[in-house]
């Protein structure tokens, strides 16, 4: 389609697009997909989007698959942007929104990334896919691999929410539970992948999950009628969604769909695992590994992210910030959002609410701004956390 090449996000080295690649061959950092955006916008006009399908493939021209026959789709994307009126009233905010990603296939925003990544893996000839996961990425990969007819191998910490383990088993994945964290699972995939013939679909260690996730940015712009919000509050683990949205904003600006204005990007982490918050506060470009990572919000239990510098760049360039909330706060927020809005959030998504309260108290967000909270997943997958 319109892909021109892959480009290293750190050293900008160009890589060929039509090959199965993981990281930059020079510096080992993530690769990003680059497009001929002039060509893309020749057939994709923002006015013409209204008639397109209600899934993320409506942005087909800026997605990487060459042949439509390789698209692996379960109906991901085009999730509701809910106006949180009752919650907003409690906070004194009129323009408060929840982007409800729990309404995706496999009930989380991970479906977006995996739809794109599995489509590309299929197109470029991978047979067996492997991933370390905190839970939701595993459930999404298992589903999309099944839909594509590919084998998939999943490695998760042994205290991952049970729903994530069961959903992978029931969609035909090979599941291994490991003592330790997602980083230990990632090391196991890296150690075995060559001998086993696995393609590693770890977050940001292949170029395409971020392409699926970037549609969050396209959707927000379209749902807000091409006027981006003032503030985006996003629960950050590996950071793919935040990095993807930031990339989408740049692409849309290049196509003339939006102007220079960017939302302030706010990263929320759990106080038991907050490597990005710490690096932001210390003014560092890369984040050190966070020791003894622990939180019930399993998707935020990512002690070291390979895309750390991309998350931190986006936060800083946007004038945003990074802050942590406690498990107590984010669990209480799940019930508060649920009772006020009828959305049973994943604890990761619920973390946005105490973060917003702290931002208001610190004067970093004004009550008359347009604010989006990201509910990245479904609370129903975390029953252990609520018992
Ligand atoms: C529900 C949920 N929210 C947020 C995250 C963090 O996502 P990202 O890697 O895009 O920062 C995850 C990752 O597992 C998740 O499952
Ligand atoms: Zn590089």
């Amino acid at each position: 389609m319109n892909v021109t090449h892959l480009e290293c996000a750190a050293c900008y080295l160009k890589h060929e697009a039509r090959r199965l690649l993981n990281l930059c061959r020079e510096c080992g950092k993530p690769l990003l997909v680059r497009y001929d955006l002039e060509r893309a916008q020749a057939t994709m006009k923002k006015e013409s989007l209204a008639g397109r399908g209600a899934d993320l493939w409506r942005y087909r021209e800026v997605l990487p698959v060459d042949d439509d026959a390789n698209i692996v789709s379960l109906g991901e994307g085009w999730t509701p942007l809910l106006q949180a009126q009752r919650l907003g009233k409690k906070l004194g905010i009129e323009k408060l929104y929840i982007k409800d990603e729990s309404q995706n296939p496999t009930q989380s925003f991970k479906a977006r990334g995996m739809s794109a990544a599995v489509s590309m893996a299929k197109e470029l000839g991978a047979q067996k896919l492997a991933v370390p996961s905190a839970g939701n990425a595993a459930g999404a990969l298992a589903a999309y691999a099944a839909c594509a007819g590919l084998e998939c191998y999943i490695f998760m910490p042994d205290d991952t929410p049970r729903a994530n383990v069961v959903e992978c088993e029931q969609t035909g994945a090979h599941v291994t539970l490991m003592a330790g964290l997602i980083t230990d699972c990632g090391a196991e995939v890296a150690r075995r992948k060559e001998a086993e013939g696995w393609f590693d679909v770890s977050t940001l260690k292949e170029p395409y999950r971020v392409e699926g996730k970037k549609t969050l940015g396209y959707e927000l712009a379209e749902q807000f009628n091409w006027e981006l919000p003032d503030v985006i509050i996003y629960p950050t683990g590996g950071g793919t969604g935040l990095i993807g949205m930031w990339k989408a904003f740049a692409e849309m600006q290049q196509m003339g769909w939006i102007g220079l204005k960017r939302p302030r990007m706010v990263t929320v982490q759990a106080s038991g695992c907050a490597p990005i918050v710490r690096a932001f506060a210390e003014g560092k470009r890369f984040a050190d590994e966070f020791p003894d990572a622990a939180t019930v919000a399993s998707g935020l239990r990512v002690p070291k992210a390979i895309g750390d510098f991309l998350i931190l760049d986006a936060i800083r360039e946007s004038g945003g910030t990074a802050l942590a909330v406690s498990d107590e706060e984010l669990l209480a927020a799940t019930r508060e959002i649920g009772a006020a809005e009828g959305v049973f959030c994943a604890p990761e998504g619920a973390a946005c609410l105490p973060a917003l309260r702290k931002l208001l108290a610190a004067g970093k967000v004004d009550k008359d701004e347009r604010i989006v909270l990201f509910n990245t997943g479904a609370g129903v997958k975390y029953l252990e956390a609520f018992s």
Side-chain angles (χ1 to χ4, degrees):
M1 279 289 278
N2 299 318
V3 176
T4 53
H5 61 282
L6 305 178
E7 182 183 84
C8 174
C11 77
Y12 308 110
L13 186 70
K14 279 188 177 185
H15 293 62
E16 188 191 326
R18 304 297 306 160
R19 280 181 50 204
L20 265 184
L21 293 177
N22 286 109
L23 295 166
C24 172
R25 65 170 175 269
E26 271 304 308
C27 75
K29 294 291 185 193
L31 296 173
L32 297 174
V33 183
R34 298 299 177 203
Y35 297 84
D36 179 344
L37 292 172
E38 217 163 287
R39 198 168 151 211
Q41 63 173 329
T43 51
M44 185 175 64
K45 311 266 181 229
K46 59 183 181 183
E47 302 75 27
S48 66
L49 289 170
R52 294 192 175 192
D55 61 38
L56 63 78
W57 297 96
R58 66 199 278 111
Y59 308 110
R60 181 71 183 88
E61 284 88 338
V62 287
L63 289 168
V65 181
D66 190 45
D67 181 350
D68 281 350
N70 292 321
I71 292 177
V72 184
S73 175
L74 294 165
E76 54 292 325
W78 202 244
T79 56
L81 179 67
L82 306 170
Q83 186 157 11
Q85 278 173 336
R86 287 159 53 86
L87 195 61
K89 210 169 230 170
K90 279 178 85 171
L91 296 163
I93 299 172
E94 205 179 309
K95 291 167 279 183
L96 181 64
Y97 299 84
I98 298 174
K99 180 71 171 158
D100 189 13
E101 286 291 294
S102 70
Q103 299 195 38
N104 275 299
T106 71
Q107 297 80 53
S108 90
F109 72 152
K110 298 284 176 182
R112 293 179 187 265
M114 288 306 183
S115 178
V118 173
S119 299
M120 287 308 293
K122 182 179 170 193
E123 183 158 277
L124 299 178
Q127 302 288 326
K128 298 177 183 180
L129 311 179
V131 82
S133 170
N136 285 316
L141 177 64
Y144 285 90
C147 183
L150 300 178
E151 261 188 74
C152 109
Y153 294 81
I154 278 163
F155 294 81
M156 291 185 282
D158 56 12
D159 54 354
T160 297
R162 174 131 175 83
N164 294 128
V165 178
V166 175
E167 67 179 335
C168 293
E169 290 169 349
Q170 295 302 316
T171 45
H174 304 272
V175 181
T176 306
L177 299 180
M178 294 184 62
L181 297 170
I182 187 171
T183 34
D184 301 299
C185 297
E188 180 72 358
V189 170
R191 189 177 69 75
R192 292 177 54 190
K193 65 182 181 185
E194 206 164 298
E196 304 275 2
W198 296 338
F199 181 63
D200 184 350
V201 204
S202 300
T203 216
L204 284 164
K205 290 188 183 166
E206 63 76 60
Y208 303 111
R209 282 174 67 178
V210 78
E211 291 304 296
K213 287 267 191 94
K214 85 178 177 190
T215 58
L216 287 168
Y218 279 88
E219 274 181 35
L220 268 190
E222 189 176 352
Q223 290 174 321
F224 276 125
N225 203 19
W226 311 107
E227 171 82 29
L228 292 175
D230 299 300
V231 182
I232 289 177
I233 306 183
Y234 176 84
T236 307
T240 330
L242 190 141
I243 294 165
M245 280 190 272
W246 198 244
K247 182 173 190 280
F249 300 154
E251 288 176 0
M252 284 189 285
Q253 189 188 330
Q254 264 194 56
M255 293 193 289
W257 286 14
I258 59 169
L260 281 169
K261 183 193 155 179
R262 295 286 184 277
R264 305 201 296 289
M265 306 299 280
V266 177
T267 269
V268 187
Q269 298 194 302
S271 41
C273 182
I276 300 297
V277 176
R278 205 174 52 179
F280 179 75
E282 292 171 355
K284 292 187 175 162
R285 180 141 198 255
F286 297 94
D288 295 328
E289 181 156 346
F290 200 88
D292 305 320
T295 167
V296 293
S298 44
L300 304 185
R301 204 170 44 158
V302 181
K304 176 84 188 145
I306 189 166
D308 51 0
F309 64 107
L310 296 172
I311 303 168
L312 287 158
D313 285 354
I315 296 170
R316 290 188 177 119
E317 275 173 44
S318 72
T321 188
L323 73 170
V325 305
S326 69
D327 274 15
E328 226 165 50
E329 288 172 312
L330 60 85
L331 284 174
T334 311
R335 184 184 287 240
E336 189 180 352
I337 299 169
E341 297 296 336
V343 176
F344 182 14
C345 290
E348 294 87 343
C352 295
L353 176 59
L356 173 57
R357 283 211 166 93
K358 286 175 206 256
L359 294 168
L360 284 168
K364 289 187 176 164
V365 164
D366 288 333
K367 290 187 171 174
D368 62 353
E369 292 192 292
R370 236 169 354 129
I371 302 160
V372 177
L373 312 180
F374 262 89
N375 177 36
T376 43
V380 76
K381 291 225 180 140
Y382 298 74
L383 294 182
E384 300 96 327
F386 300 106
S387 51

